């Protein structure tokens, strides 16, 4: 797969993992029974409860899974599904990105710039000229026809689109002016945001719950819509029906802006972070919980920042520094974290997965398989390979080709054996007759792969070996295999042997 966009990881990702691993074959490139290539992927999870996901595969097929609230899976019905179903309309359209609102509604755009929408539409957020719910992805028009859309953003019930020419189009709920039309009536089709920024080129867009923000190519920032918490950065709390420039950022070149539920973060070209808006949960990172209606510089102590993230679904903020350290603050699992706090993560996605409430993503996540061979792959290939081994262990006359260095690193028994003053250290062939070939081969393979592939009956002998070599983790693995492999036919034998080996 190439892309995923989601809200909550916890339920849907488990379903995808179950589906993925229960429908795979043992080949280099993993496929499922329906022929979906799962090596590269892009996932989008949608829905207020995080029970839906949309996946774009490497072969350009689109699949959906989950509860299907408001038809946000785009399957043409309201039926939930525990297994991925193909979203026929979007297949082979080269879907490039997504955005989602909490209706829920979904907006997607393709490499050619076409834009699709589906899901909840009570506030005209789909831009199809009506307020009727749409169960299948439908091309948005007419004002976007011929326009190459390169970015989309959604608030709770309004949507934005950015074109290659730097134009911003908006539609949907407009009770607070979030569509930027100069009025407060809902807008059922996309219209260009003409006031002020209509003559200037925009490079990025973002949506809060009921607010909108755009970054221009000269680094200026404009905001419009609801401003009750100061999230527009204008120094006041007055809603704006038209885009207004954030004057306190004058002289600062902003390259990226993201919006939380009611707060905003802006990243400059030199890696400085500016914040404003609601701060009830410490989401501004100022060290207190007071709202701020004009931009303030924060997080200077953590160094140069290269990326930031937030979403209109919650009150959490996160940032990554140039040395790849990830920080978070705001409402983190019910706790109010008022200052940037370092995490053990290497991805901004992980912060939302583990600490956001609800666990939602701010953008789709692409997953690519590294084409280079990993250490674990190299070890698996090296096991029982005579071309690279420096030691042969024979069991009942059958050879197993291994490497002294690997055995010494992985096993205390071999570390003790291969020492300068022991005869075994100088040998290139060793004989081991205490255990059967199948079991000893499985043991050596375990040292290379951390995997045990034996039936319960053979695992008993491997358990004996693990006891003899003081391999406690292997002993536990064997006990687990035996426990899970108990049947009516082998129960008495396994029980008898367990007593002999003093295993539970």
């Amino acid at each position: 797969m190439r892309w995923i966009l989601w809200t909550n990881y916890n339920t849907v990702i488990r379903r995808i993992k179950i589906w993925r691993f229960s429908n795979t074959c043992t080949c280099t490139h993993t496929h499922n029974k329906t022929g979906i290539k799962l090596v590269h992927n892009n996932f989008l999870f949608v829905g207020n409860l995080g029970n839906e996901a949309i996946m774009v595969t490497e072969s350009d097929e689109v699949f959906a899974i989950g509860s299907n609230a408001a038809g946000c899976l785009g399957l043409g019905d309201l039926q939930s599904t525990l297994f991925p179903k193909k979203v026929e309309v979007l297949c082979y359209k080269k879907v490039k990105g997504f955005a989602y609102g909490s209706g829920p509604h979904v907006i997607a755009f393709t490499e050619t710039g076409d834009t699709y929408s589906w899901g909840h539409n009570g506030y005209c957020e789909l831009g199809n000229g009506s307020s009727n719910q749409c169960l299948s992805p439908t091309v948005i028009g007419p004002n976007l026809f011929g326009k190459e859309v390169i970015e989309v953003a959604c608030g709770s019930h309004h949507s934005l689109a950015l074109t290659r020419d730097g134009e911003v189009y908006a539609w949907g709920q407009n009770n607070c002016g979030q569509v930027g039309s100069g009025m407060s009536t809902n807008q059922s089709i996309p219209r260009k945001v003409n006031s002020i920024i209509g003559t200037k080129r925009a490079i990025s867009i973002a949506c809060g719950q009921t607010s909108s923000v755009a970054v221009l190519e000269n680094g200026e920032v404009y905001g419009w819509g609801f401003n009750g918490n100061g999230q527009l950065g204008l120094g006041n709390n007055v809603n704006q029906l038209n885009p207004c420039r954030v004057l306190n950022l004058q002289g600062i070149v902003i390259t990226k802006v993201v919006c939380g539920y009611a707060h905003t973060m802006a990243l400059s070209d030199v890696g400085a972070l500016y914040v404003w808006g609601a701060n009830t949960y410490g989401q501004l990172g100022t060290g207190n919980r007071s709202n701020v209606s004009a931009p303030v510089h924060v997080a200077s102590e953590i160094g140069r920042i290269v990326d930031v993230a937030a979403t209109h679904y919650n009150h959490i903020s996160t940032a990554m520094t140039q040395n790849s350290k990830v920080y978070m603050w705001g409402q983190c699992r019910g706790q109010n974290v008022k200052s940037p706090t370092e995490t053990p993560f290497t991805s901004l996605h992980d912060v939302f997965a583990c600490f956001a409430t609800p666990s939602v993503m701010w953008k789709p996540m692409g997953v690519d398989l590294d084409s280079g061979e990993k250490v674990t792959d190299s070890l698996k290939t090296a096991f029982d390979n005579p071309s690279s081994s420096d030691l042969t262990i024979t069991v009942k006359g059958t050879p197993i080709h291994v490497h002294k260095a690997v055995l010494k690193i992985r096993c205390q028994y071999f570390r003790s054996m291969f020492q300068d003053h022991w005869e075994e250290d100088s040998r290139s062939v060793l004989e081991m007759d205490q255990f059967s070939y199948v079991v000893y081969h499985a043991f050596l393979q375990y040292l290379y792969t951390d995997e045990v592939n034996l039936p319960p009956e053979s695992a008993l002998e491997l358990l004996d070996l693990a006891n003899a070599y003081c391999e406690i983790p292997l002993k536990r693995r064997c006990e687990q295999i035996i426990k899970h492999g108990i049947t009516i036919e082998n129960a008495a034998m396994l029980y008898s042997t367990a007593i002999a080996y003093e295993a539970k």
Side-chain angles (χ1 to χ4, degrees), residues 182-236:
M183 301 179 291
S184 58
T185 55
N186 294 348
Q187 193 159 282
S188 62
I189 61 172
R191 295 189 185 279
K192 184 179 176 181
V193 181
N194 285 311
S195 178
I196 303 179
I197 68 170
T199 59
K200 300 179 180 180
R201 181 183 176 90
I203 61 171
S204 183
I205 53 177
C207 291
Q209 188 79 352
T210 50
S211 61
S212 304
V213 180
V215 182
L216 305 188
E217 61 181 348
N218 61 1
E220 295 177 355
V221 177
Y222 286 79
W224 60 98
F226 184 70
N227 195 32
N229 298 286
Q231 55 262 60
L232 299 186
L234 306 177
N236 58 51

Side-chain angles (χ1 to χ4, degrees), residues 404 408 414-427:
K404 286 183 181 180
K408 289 168 69 174
F414 289 112
R415 279 197 292 274
S416 301
M417 176 184 293
F418 298 128
Q419 298 185 39
D420 293 339
H421 56 280
W422 291 107
E423 181 182 354
E424 287 83 355
D425 187 51
S426 61
R427 292 183 181 179

Side-chain angles (χ1 to χ4, degrees), residues 143-156:
N143 290 348
L144 288 182
F145 287 155
K147 302 291 184 178
E148 184 182 353
V149 173
I150 61 172
E151 185 179 355
V152 291
C154 294
S156 59

Side-chain angles (χ1 to χ4, degrees), residues 4-39:
I4 291 186
L5 173 64
W6 63 76
T7 55
N8 190 306
Y9 289 78
N10 300 327
T11 54
V12 178
I13 198 64
R14 282 199 295 268
R15 293 179 187 169
I16 292 175
K17 285 181 177 179
I18 292 170
W19 166 67
R20 177 170 181 167
F21 292 110
S22 64
N23 292 281
T24 58
C25 61
T26 56
C27 53
T28 303
H29 296 287
T30 305
H31 296 67
N32 64 28
K33 291 178 180 177
T34 59
I36 305 171
K37 193 168 186 179
L38 295 170
V39 172

Side-chain angles (χ1 to χ4, degrees), residues 170-188:
W171 61 95
Q173 187 179 36
N174 195 34
N175 59 324
C176 302
Q178 56 265 50
V179 168
S181 63
M183 301 179 291
S184 58
T185 55
N186 294 348
Q187 193 159 282
S188 62

Side-chain angles (χ1 to χ4, degrees), residues 333-354:
R333 281 288 182 92
Q335 301 299 313
N336 299 328
V337 180
K338 296 177 286 186
S339 299
T341 301
E342 186 177 348
T343 74
F345 305 130
T346 58
S347 168
L348 300 182
H349 290 288
D350 293 335
V351 173
F352 288 85
C354 297

Side-chain angles (χ1 to χ4, degrees), residues 12-295:
V12 178
I13 198 64
R14 282 199 295 268
R15 293 179 187 169
I16 292 175
K17 285 181 177 179
I18 292 170
W19 166 67
R20 177 170 181 167
F21 292 110
S22 64
N23 292 281
T24 58
C25 61
T26 56
C27 53
T28 303
H29 296 287
T30 305
H31 296 67
N32 64 28
K33 291 178 180 177
T34 59
I36 305 171
K37 193 168 186 179
L38 295 170
V39 172
H40 305 282
N41 44 70
N42 176 351
F43 290 78
L44 158 66
F45 282 72
V46 299
N48 291 338
L49 298 178
N51 287 334
E52 293 93 8
I54 299 170
M55 301 159 281
V56 182
T57 70
E58 186 183 40
S59 58
D60 200 25
E61 293 180 303
V62 182
F63 290 81
I65 181 176
S67 300
N68 204 17
C72 64
L73 294 185
L75 297 173
D77 55 41
L78 293 171
Q79 300 300 313
S80 61
T81 174
L82 294 177
F83 297 94
K85 290 184 177 180
K86 189 177 292 188
V87 185
E88 299 284 356
V89 178
L90 295 179
C91 289
Y92 314 115
K93 295 295 196 305
K94 296 183 178 180
V95 174
K96 189 175 181 180
F98 299 91
Y100 62 92
S102 57
H105 75 285
V106 185
I107 309 293
F109 66 99
T110 69
E111 286 188 6
T112 58
D114 293 330
T115 312
Y116 293 79
S117 65
W118 63 98
H120 187 273
N121 195 32
Y123 300 91
C124 306
E125 57 263 49
L126 298 185
N128 59 14
S130 76
S131 58
N132 298 324
Q133 183 172 271
C134 188
L135 304 181
S136 297
T138 304
V139 175
I140 301 177
N143 290 348
L144 288 182
F145 287 155
K147 302 291 184 178
E148 184 182 353
V149 173
I150 61 172
E151 185 179 355
V152 291
C154 294
S156 59
H157 300 291
H158 76 288
S159 309
L160 299 181
L162 175 65
T163 71
R164 179 73 64 184
D165 296 328
E167 298 174 325
V168 178
Y169 286 80
W171 61 95
Q173 187 179 36
N174 195 34
N175 59 324
C176 302
Q178 56 265 50
V179 168
S181 63
M183 301 179 291
S184 58
T185 55
N186 294 348
Q187 193 159 282
S188 62
I189 61 172
R191 295 189 185 279
K192 184 179 176 181
V193 181
N194 285 311
S195 178
I196 303 179
I197 68 170
T199 59
K200 300 179 180 180
R201 181 183 176 90
I203 61 171
S204 183
I205 53 177
C207 291
Q209 188 79 352
T210 50
S211 61
S212 304
V213 180
V215 182
L216 305 188
E217 61 181 348
N218 61 1
E220 295 177 355
V221 177
Y222 286 79
W224 60 98
F226 184 70
N227 195 32
N229 298 286
Q231 55 262 60
L232 299 186
L234 306 177
N236 58 51
N237 296 99
V238 180
N239 295 352
Q240 300 295 326
L241 303 182
N242 292 299
C244 295
R245 185 180 172 186
V246 182
L247 295 176
N248 279 34
L249 292 175
Q250 189 168 358
I252 300 170
V253 178
I254 298 300
T255 58
K256 180 178 182 178
V257 169
V258 295
C259 296
Y261 184 96
H263 76 288
T264 309
M265 300 195 296
L267 183 63
S268 79
D269 60 343
V270 296
L273 179 61
Y274 297 85
V275 298
W276 59 90
N279 197 30
T280 306
Y281 305 94
Q283 59 265 48
L284 297 184
T286 57
N288 58 53
R289 295 168 59 188
S290 300
N291 292 358
V292 176
S293 61

Side-chain angles (χ1 to χ4, degrees), residues 444-463:
L444 295 175
Q445 188 174 36
Y446 163 78
L447 297 181
Y448 278 74
T449 66
D450 263 337
E451 298 173 358
V452 179
N453 296 306
L454 282 177
E457 294 77 12
S458 297
L460 287 167
E461 186 182 356
L462 185 59
L463 176 62

